[in-house]
Amino acid sequence: VGCDRSRNLVDICGEKHFQAFVCDALSVPIRSSSCDACISVAVIHHFSTAERRLATIRELARLLRPGGTALIYVWAMEQEYKNQKSKYLKEKNGSKNKDKEMNTGTAQRPLNDQGPDNSSQDPAWSDQLLNDFKDESCGAKPVAEFRLPVHTNRTSFHSQDLLVPWHLKGGTKKKEENVDTVLVPSGSKGLQELSPVFHRYYHVFCEGELEAVCRSLDCVRVQKSYYDQGNWCVILEKL
């Protein structure tokens, strides 16, 4: 059973005869301790506060039966790890998927090839965790005046909190839409047309950050933590 915030994506699943429904990752309408396994790919990095990211993982844990497992993928700050560039960086030039930019909304490497906050969490701990990981250890630059930097697609990250351009190809801009526009190539004749550009919020995770958040929950244990093509990944077990 799948779920997503986007009604359009859920409708596509229905057309393909998959079971899916619209919901919020912070409040999933499924009975507690009823799932053998849960997968969260390219979701948690879209939450803009440490409290919400923690609450999302706690909600995953709630769904799992004792002994059940969860797999989590989030974008990594480190797009070059152990002297190896991620697939995301490698596709900067010469990729036939280059024009798609960030339109897929999934993790940089698919697995087959990404309600209210809980009152029981500790805001002070979450704030401290956020501060700990905003130091210079992962090369993040502080965000001044609450203005988030706009990321250049297929390049390394220079901030943990940023906006990633989403180029809407072939769409028409409505009058009420407050979006930027950009000139993009159209066809082999080199013609150009205006295409709306939306900006999606991302919090990219530094090494050890996702694992640290997971270890703060006493209802799960971390089975495995690893790096995979520009993503930090954790496998959890429900205690």
Side-chain angles (χ1 to χ4, degrees):
V1 177
C3 57
D4 198 278
R5 185 72 173 181
S6 167
R7 163 65 66 183
N8 289 341
L9 291 178
V10 169
D11 287 345
I12 291 173
C13 291
E15 292 170 1
K16 296 179 180 295
H17 306 293
F18 294 118
Q19 298 183 69
F21 59 91
V22 175
C23 82
D24 190 324
L26 289 168
S27 182
V28 181
I30 293 179
R31 179 166 47 87
S32 299
S33 305
S34 62
C35 299
D36 294 316
C38 295
I39 299 175
S40 174
V41 175
V43 174
I44 296 175
H45 57 218
H46 288 301
F47 287 97
S48 60
T49 67
E51 290 80 10
R52 284 174 178 264
R53 294 189 287 271
L54 175 63
T56 307
I57 298 173
R58 181 183 282 113
E59 181 69 352
L60 275 179
R62 180 188 68 80
L63 300 175
L64 292 172
R65 63 166 177 78
T69 55
L71 172 65
I72 301 173
Y73 264 59
V74 296
W75 269 17
M77 178 81 178
E78 302 84 355
Q79 288 299 307
E80 188 167 346
Y81 186 68
K82 294 184 177 178
N83 297 321
Q84 294 290 325
K85 289 185 177 181
S86 68
K87 185 179 180 182
Y88 175 68
L89 294 183
K90 289 179 180 179
E91 288 182 349
K92 181 177 181 181
N93 297 312
S95 171
K96 61 183 178 181
N97 295 322
K98 180 180 178 181
D99 290 339
K100 292 184 179 179
E101 299 279 19
M102 303 303 298
N103 287 2
T104 59
T106 60
Q108 295 149 14
R109 178 177 180 267
L111 291 179
N112 292 332
D113 325 90
Q114 150 127 127
D117 294 340
N118 292 338
S119 58
S120 60
Q121 67 193 33
D122 183 356
W125 177 89
S126 299
D127 289 342
Q128 183 60 48
L129 178 71
L130 186 63
N131 291 333
D132 289 345
F133 285 102
K134 281 190 175 296
D135 59 18
E136 297 178 357
S137 61
C138 61
K141 295 181 180 178
V143 179
E145 300 179 356
F146 302 98
R147 289 183 177 272
L148 292 174
V150 177
H151 177 62
T152 300
N153 285 326
R154 307 298 175 186
T155 64
S156 297
F157 295 116
H158 301 291
S159 173
Q160 276 195 273
D161 297 278
L162 68 162
L163 299 175
V164 176
W166 175 294
H167 295 254
L168 185 62
K169 296 180 62 179
T172 56
K173 180 183 176 184
K174 298 179 181 179
K175 291 183 179 180
E176 65 270 20
E177 287 180 344
N178 182 22
V179 298
D180 296 331
T181 57
V182 64
L183 285 172
V184 295
S186 176
S188 59
K189 295 181 180 180
L191 298 178
Q192 292 184 323
E193 59 182 11
L194 282 175
S195 176
V197 180
F198 296 87
H199 293 96
R200 303 182 72 194
Y201 169 83
Y202 282 78
H203 171 83
V204 291
F205 284 67
C206 286
E207 182 173 7
E209 182 178 0
L210 176 61
E211 183 176 353
V213 177
C214 294
R215 291 190 185 281
S216 72
L217 299 175
D218 56 12
C219 58
V220 296
R221 73 176 183 89
V222 176
Q223 279 189 344
K224 186 178 181 181
S225 178
Y226 60 98
Y227 179 89
D228 181 18
Q229 287 292 341
N231 300 281
W232 286 116
C233 320
V234 162
I235 297 177
L236 302 176
E237 180 184 0
K238 177 74 170 289
L239 300 177

